[in-house]
Amino acid sequence: MHRWILALAAAALITVSAASADEWSKHYSVSGKPEVVVRSGEGSVEVQPGGAGAVDFQVTSLSWKIPADVRITENQNSNRIEVDVRTPNTHWNWF
């Protein structure tokens, strides 16, 4: 009985977390070998291989809103793609 309650609570938590996530995505076409530069202040970066002739980016924010809180700057120059993701400054100064 306790396992079912725990499983239902975990499923509800995952559903709420997924529902509050904000996402941004962008598709780039390239000819040849792409050069990718990713900068992320406090976020984690995951790189996965994709199909030839394309580079796809996806940014997911669980805490902040895109673009209100999270600033994403992107640029493509030929086969060079740069994406810069900046989150709000959350440093606390107590003194």
Side-chain angles (χ1 to χ4, degrees):
M1 178 72 169
H2 291 306
R3 289 183 185 177
W4 279 103
I5 293 172
L6 183 58
L8 289 175
L13 182 60
I14 290 169
T15 303
V16 170
S17 295
S20 64
D22 230 9
E23 292 188 0
W24 172 90
S25 60
K26 182 82 179 209
H27 174 85
Y28 298 93
S29 296
V30 294
S31 59
K33 185 178 178 181
E35 180 182 354
V36 177
V37 178
V38 179
R39 293 180 202 91
S40 177
E42 294 185 16
S44 62
V45 176
E46 179 181 337
V47 179
Q48 297 179 353
V55 176
D56 293 304
F57 283 91
Q58 181 176 356
V59 176
T60 303
S61 174
L62 300 177
S63 302
W64 297 299
K65 296 294 180 189
I66 301 172
D69 301 319
V70 178
R71 188 179 73 221
I72 302 171
T73 307
E74 43 93 14
N75 183 43
Q76 180 177 12
N77 185 3
S78 187
N79 287 336
R80 182 180 171 91
I81 302 165
E82 296 182 47
V83 175
D84 186 24
V85 181
R86 295 294 168 200
T87 56
N89 186 355
T90 58
H91 297 286
W92 295 84
N93 293 326
W94 295 99
F95 299 100

